[in-house]
Amino acid sequence: MENDTLGSVLADVLAASHRLAARAIPDLVQDAGRRLGLSGARAYVADLQQRDLVALPAPEQAPRSAAAGGTTDLETLPVDNSLAGRAYRTETVQLSRPDADDSERTGWIPVVDGIGRVGVLRVSAPELDASLLHRCEALADLVAMILAAKLPYSDLLAQTMRTRPMSLQAELLWAFLPPRTIGTAAVTSSALLEPAYEVGGDAYDHSLAGEVLHLTLLDAMGHDLASGGCSATALAACRAARRAGGRLDDIAVEIDRTLDRWIPGRLLTCVIANLDTTTGRLDWINCGHPPPLLIRDRRVVTGALDRTPHPPLGLTGYEVPPPRVHSTHLQPGDRLLLFTDGVTDARSAAGELFGEQRLADAVVRALTDGLPSPEALRRLIQQILVHQDQRLHDDATLLLTEWHPPHR
């Protein structure tokens, strides 16, 4: 039977997805793949720490039971050492090498929602020519949209992406955080947070309002449920103020007042910034936080964003004026790295700090390799974890923004 047209297949998948249970996604993908001319198609999602790609459970399979400390028989492939992982890391299609004994070719298609990596799509057919791969890429794009829409409301998908139980404060914070990667043709912003399952006081936010990219990085004192509540409350205050038209200093004042009223005695450091993606103008405030790094032409511009910081937010009983707004202009291709002190203060078993210089060297090296920003961050956080023998004693959060305006 002649294969269905791409448009009819995608239209049927989209129509079916509206009321689709997450458990039915694998069958929907497999059916769509066969209609497009494939022998098989299966979706894999990256786990929370982006170490493995995990096959979505078929209806007859049980999801991961991380909350109970159980195991799963779901197929798992390493991100760092597999062809599927290479497709995920590089965001490019990967094909298995032809083998005289094989009647099937296998391809791995990146599954990317907008510009945020979700996983990969495994496809197989006797021959994967350019036309068929084009159809596979279109299917992968639609699968990404379906997964992104279902994930916030699906315990099955959450369980599939987790390898162990999550602490209460981490559960609270992850519920408030936006996608790890967002962007447009002019800008990309990507963030990572560790320890993913025990994070307490760190939080990030990035959002787009017209031509302006908003960035927030928070670090609340402590590492308990109250710390997570402090950061979550600060994020809510930040969003409420900016969505009401508040300036950067208005946002800081609103966070300060909110903490004073509802969580007194909790200090919080932060960097809050706006980047005009048309002109490259960067405005920011720094409240007791490590200064951001500016990376230009594959090197860190030393001291470019160092300014006298405002005191941390949450200082009650003191008459402190609103923080000063600083401004500069980025050049096309510039990258901005925001980080919490858990990154630079990470200590090895011998007591050696990871430090700002090692951080700068590591991020420049990753970017020099031509890696997409999300992958550069993933490798960077891995280096920090290795430095501290996989046991971070404080939250470590990174937010990397690249300004890449078209036609400039």
Side-chain angles (χ1 to χ4, degrees):
M1 184 177 68
E2 186 176 344
N3 298 331
D4 292 337
T5 65
L6 175 61
S8 66
V9 173
L10 297 185
D12 289 347
V13 171
L14 182 60
S17 70
H18 296 305
R19 296 182 179 272
L20 187 74
R23 187 175 295 279
I25 293 175
D27 283 349
L28 181 69
V29 172
Q30 176 75 342
D31 178 66
R34 286 176 175 165
R35 290 177 62 190
L36 291 174
L38 298 170
S39 304
R42 190 170 189 184
Y44 295 66
V45 292
D47 78 286
L48 189 61
Q49 295 175 298
Q50 301 180 87
R51 295 176 178 176
D52 294 308
L53 295 163
V54 186
L56 290 184
E60 67 275 8
Q61 289 180 295
R64 293 180 188 260
S65 52
T71 59
T72 177
D73 59 357
L74 297 179
E75 183 184 359
T76 300
L77 302 169
V79 168
D80 283 315
N81 193 24
S82 68
L83 198 59
R86 180 175 175 81
Y88 179 82
R89 297 192 314 269
T90 62
E91 300 179 31
T92 58
V93 174
Q94 300 294 316
L95 299 177
S96 63
R97 293 180 179 177
D99 192 316
D101 297 329
D102 289 338
S103 60
E104 296 277 334
R105 292 288 306 275
T106 299
W108 299 95
I109 316 296
V111 174
V112 181
D113 177 45
I115 61 171
R117 303 182 299 183
V118 179
V120 294
L121 182 67
R122 185 186 70 191
V123 298
S124 57
E127 183 59 43
L128 290 170
D129 58 24
S131 176
L132 183 52
L133 285 175
H134 171 72
R135 285 176 276 166
C136 292
E137 290 177 305
L139 177 60
D141 288 343
L142 188 51
V143 169
M145 294 175 63
I146 294 171
L147 289 172
K150 303 291 183 185
L151 180 58
Y153 316 105
S154 171
D155 281 356
L156 181 141
L157 291 176
Q159 288 174 306
T160 301
M161 296 171 69
R162 295 182 184 185
T163 60
R164 59 179 184 270
M166 184 172 284
S167 70
L168 187 57
Q169 63 263 31
E171 194 76 63
L172 172 66
L173 271 181
W174 279 109
F176 274 78
L177 296 179
R180 282 187 295 234
T181 302
I182 65 170
T184 66
V187 70
T188 300
S189 181
S190 191
L192 277 184
L193 192 158
E194 287 283 355
Y197 294 92
E198 294 88 25
V199 61
D202 282 11
Y204 69 87
D205 199 8
H206 45 198
S207 65
L208 289 155
E211 302 300 325
V212 175
L213 172 69
H214 176 86
L215 306 169
T216 294
L217 193 61
L218 307 170
D219 185 356
M221 178 183 68
H223 198 80
D224 53 16
L225 182 58
S227 302
C230 180
S231 287
T233 301
L235 278 182
C238 174
R239 290 167 181 169
R242 76 168 188 262
R243 289 167 182 172
R247 305 182 307 267
L248 294 180
D249 51 350
D250 297 325
I251 293 171
V253 169
E254 182 61 26
I255 293 174
D256 202 40
R257 288 174 178 168
T258 302
L259 295 181
D260 184 23
R261 180 178 180 184
W262 298 108
I263 314 179
R266 285 276 171 172
L267 299 183
L268 178 144
T269 70
C270 63
V271 171
I272 306 174
N274 284 334
L275 172 61
D276 187 319
T277 63
T278 300
T279 66
R281 179 187 171 101
L282 175 71
D283 299 319
W284 81 100
I285 60 174
N286 185 335
C287 299
H289 203 83
L293 297 181
L294 177 62
I295 303 163
R296 176 175 293 159
D297 297 328
R298 300 181 180 180
R299 66 181 183 88
V300 172
V301 183
T302 305
L305 303 180
D306 289 1
R307 303 291 188 274
T308 302
H310 187 80
L313 303 181
L315 285 171
T316 58
Y318 297 90
E319 290 296 328
V320 180
R324 180 181 175 184
V325 178
H326 309 288
S327 298
T328 192
H329 275 84
L330 303 187
Q331 296 179 12
D334 280 357
R335 295 175 173 95
L336 181 70
L337 181 67
L338 280 61
F339 58 95
T340 60
D341 59 11
V343 173
T344 50
D345 291 352
R347 289 184 179 272
S348 67
E352 181 184 8
L353 289 173
F354 191 79
E356 185 173 311
Q357 186 59 53
R358 194 192 307 264
L359 171 64
D361 292 344
V363 71
V364 168
R365 186 163 53 250
L367 294 172
T368 300
D369 289 341
L371 300 172
S373 293
E375 180 60 21
L377 275 194
R378 192 187 72 88
R379 293 195 182 186
L380 182 54
I381 206 75
Q382 284 185 333
Q383 292 184 48
I384 295 166
L385 287 166
V386 168
H387 180 79
Q388 205 162 344
D389 198 25
Q390 303 295 327
R391 296 179 62 87
L392 288 174
H393 301 294
D394 191 10
D395 298 342
T397 305
L398 297 156
L399 195 160
L400 180 64
T401 298
E402 179 181 359
W403 186 49
H404 44 76
H407 314 304
R408 292 194 61 160

